Amino acid sequence: MIPSLAGGGQEKAGMILTNYLSGFHEVQVVSLEPASAYDYPYKSRLSRIEIKRANTTAGKILVVFKRILALRKIKKQFKPDVSIAIGPTAMLINSLSFGKEQKISSLRQSLLQLKDNRFLNKILFRISGKLVPVHNGINKELYDLYKIKNNLFAYNGYDLEKIAADCSMPVEKELLPFFEANVLCHMGRFDSQKCQWQLAKVFHLARKVTPGLKLLMIGDVDYSNPLNSSVYQFCVNYLQNNGYRVKPIGTDLNAPANEYDVMFLGQQMNPHRYMAKSSVFVFPSAWEGFPNALVEALACGLPVVSADCPTGPKEILEDVNTAEQFGILLPLFSHMFIKEVLTTNELHQQWADTITGLLSDNYKMKYLKSQAFKRAKEFSVEKSCKKWLDIIDQKIK
């Protein structure tokens, strides 16, 4: 069970996992959202529980109750041996459906972001069956915040062959000149969590040292969320006001691509072809679960500069057993977005200095590129999803 089949990393990870499991088990996917043009290609049989959302507290409780009844009906028909709930919403509904099957719950984000409802969360975690976080750092948070001891975890799996094939696809001819210079690349939906406005400031400082440096932003804008659309608009305005030629999302080129300094490409069916032509992947998020974009950047062979989030990037970019490094970790920015603040500080300068220093060091660039390919192999579909299969078959307790 997964709330949506379209959108971000959770939905893509669910698609990869269920498509893999369907080669070994009969799989039924249950979603809470109507079909979308952006749905990932889930191959398993699909049921949708489409109940209109409510705004009042009483209405929200009623929606949950209706979803539970609908899920119980699906379970009665399907008679599952195992149910897997991906994310807190699915965990709640799956837990309260009271099926007799083995229940497994996939925790997808840092629990520090859920601490405001700690009492209710603890109850949810206790009734949700086996807890399988997306990485081991969440297990530490489970103990630190809730005194729950848990050792199971399973990384997201990535189709490395498909990513490699995506990278080999050509970029539009009119965009090719943009990549003749050094390009900083970022991928992610616009959100205060993702700190794209901080990246715009870092780029401005780095450009002063590395003339001709470009910035490529791949990701969608949720215009129904005023904060997120404000983050996007800040980035566009800040860069334009500092004299950069910018291509906003959804606009056509009105000059040769090499005359642009910044491109916002929006959501892309194949972002990897653009990433593969970039120079460095920059990831300033304030928090993450297991950031797909980071692993996909590694699979594209990109040197990575990332914020050292509470969970996620460090586990990806550092081998805890050998201390081997696969990217560069830097201190966190504040995720508190204030559009009136146009100034930069020492942290912006530290990020800019790190990026420009990396770009000027050919040896380190080549080394991190090789390290990127090496590390990506640890997150292949075969390794990650095979572990899920062993958890389901109770070979891992």
Side-chain angles (χ1 to χ4, degrees), residues 173-189:
K173 186 177 180 181
E174 63 271 21
L175 294 184
L176 271 176
F178 182 79
F179 296 95
E180 292 172 359
N182 284 316
V183 176
L184 302 184
C185 177
H186 170 78
M187 181 168 68
R189 71 184 185 280

Side-chain angles (χ1 to χ4, degrees), residues 122-375:
K122 187 171 185 178
I123 295 174
L124 176 61
F125 297 149
R126 293 289 187 187
I127 66 173
S128 293
K130 284 184 181 177
L131 301 178
V132 183
V134 74
H135 57 77
N136 202 31
I138 295 176
N139 281 327
K140 184 178 185 303
E141 293 183 340
L142 272 171
Y143 184 76
D144 290 344
L145 296 174
Y146 302 101
K147 302 305 176 189
I148 295 174
K149 292 183 178 180
N150 193 70
N151 295 315
L152 284 176
F153 68 94
Y155 295 139
N156 288 342
Y158 300 84
D159 189 338
L160 302 181
E161 290 184 3
K162 184 179 185 305
I163 293 175
D166 286 348
C167 290
S168 68
M169 295 295 289
V171 170
E172 296 94 327
K173 186 177 180 181
E174 63 271 21
L175 294 184
L176 271 176
F178 182 79
F179 296 95
E180 292 172 359
N182 284 316
V183 176
L184 302 184
C185 177
H186 170 78
M187 181 168 68
R189 71 184 185 280
F190 283 85
D191 191 316
S192 62
Q193 166 201 348
K194 303 290 185 180
C195 296
Q196 286 100 341
W197 79 95
Q198 307 281 27
L199 176 55
K201 295 179 179 181
V202 169
F203 169 75
H204 178 49
L205 293 175
R207 171 77 175 232
K208 293 178 180 179
V209 178
T210 307
L213 183 65
K214 310 281 189 177
L215 176 63
L216 178 68
M217 306 280 270
I218 304 170
D220 212 354
V221 183
D222 179 3
Y223 289 102
S224 68
N225 185 320
L227 176 60
N228 293 349
S229 60
S230 292
V231 168
Y232 165 69
Q233 200 57 55
F234 176 93
C235 292
V236 173
N237 293 342
Y238 177 87
L239 293 164
Q240 287 178 335
N241 292 338
N242 277 287
Y244 299 111
R245 189 158 196 166
V246 176
K247 178 196 173 299
I249 294 174
T251 61
D252 295 327
L253 297 179
N254 54 25
N258 62 343
E259 294 184 12
Y260 283 86
D261 305 299
V262 183
M263 286 197 181
F264 294 85
L265 291 188
Q267 187 170 343
Q268 294 290 323
M269 292 299 293
N270 177 8
H272 305 126
R273 57 179 176 159
Y274 306 104
M275 295 167 72
K277 289 195 173 297
S278 301
S279 308
V280 175
F281 187 79
V282 187
F283 197 70
S285 287
W287 71 86
E288 289 287 343
F290 194 86
N292 286 333
L294 207 54
V295 178
E296 290 174 27
L298 294 175
C300 292
L302 278 176
V304 168
V305 176
S306 172
D308 190 5
C309 301
T311 64
K314 188 169 186 177
E315 204 160 335
I316 293 170
L317 297 177
E318 184 177 294
D319 187 316
V320 294
N321 297 314
T322 66
E324 186 176 4
Q325 303 291 315
F326 302 95
I328 298 173
L329 292 167
L330 291 174
L332 293 173
F333 289 107
S334 168
H335 71 280
M336 299 301 293
F337 173 62
I338 304 173
K339 64 182 180 181
E340 291 80 14
V341 177
L342 303 177
T343 55
T344 58
N345 56 36
E346 291 181 358
L347 186 54
H348 294 105
Q349 191 64 58
Q350 181 182 353
W351 274 68
D353 291 345
T354 300
I355 290 167
T356 56
L358 175 60
L359 288 170
S360 64
D361 188 335
N362 289 333
Y363 172 80
K364 193 166 187 178
M365 286 284 288
K366 289 180 180 178
Y367 173 73
L368 286 180
K369 188 178 181 71
S370 67
Q371 287 293 87
F373 284 124
K374 177 182 177 181
R375 187 57 169 170

Side-chain angles (χ1 to χ4, degrees), residues 57-105:
T57 301
K60 291 177 181 178
I61 293 173
L62 182 60
V63 167
V64 170
F65 182 69
K66 288 180 178 179
R67 286 172 169 175
I68 291 168
L69 292 179
L71 182 59
R72 288 185 67 178
K73 184 177 180 180
I74 293 170
K75 286 186 177 182
K76 188 175 180 180
Q77 294 171 343
F78 188 64
K79 297 181 175 61
D81 299 304
V82 178
S83 62
I84 301 173
I86 298 181
T89 301
M91 287 169 58
L92 175 64
I93 295 166
N94 191 47
S95 299
L96 297 180
S97 67
F98 299 114
K100 295 181 180 180
E101 77 281 356
Q102 177 194 177
K103 290 184 175 64
I104 301 176
S105 294

Side-chain angles (χ1 to χ4, degrees), residues 106-123:
S106 174
L107 302 180
R108 313 294 305 178
Q109 67 184 98
S110 170
L111 304 185
L112 294 174
Q113 307 309 314
L114 304 175
K115 61 184 179 181
D116 290 342
N117 299 305
R118 189 173 296 184
F119 176 74
L120 294 177
N121 290 333
K122 187 171 185 178
I123 295 174

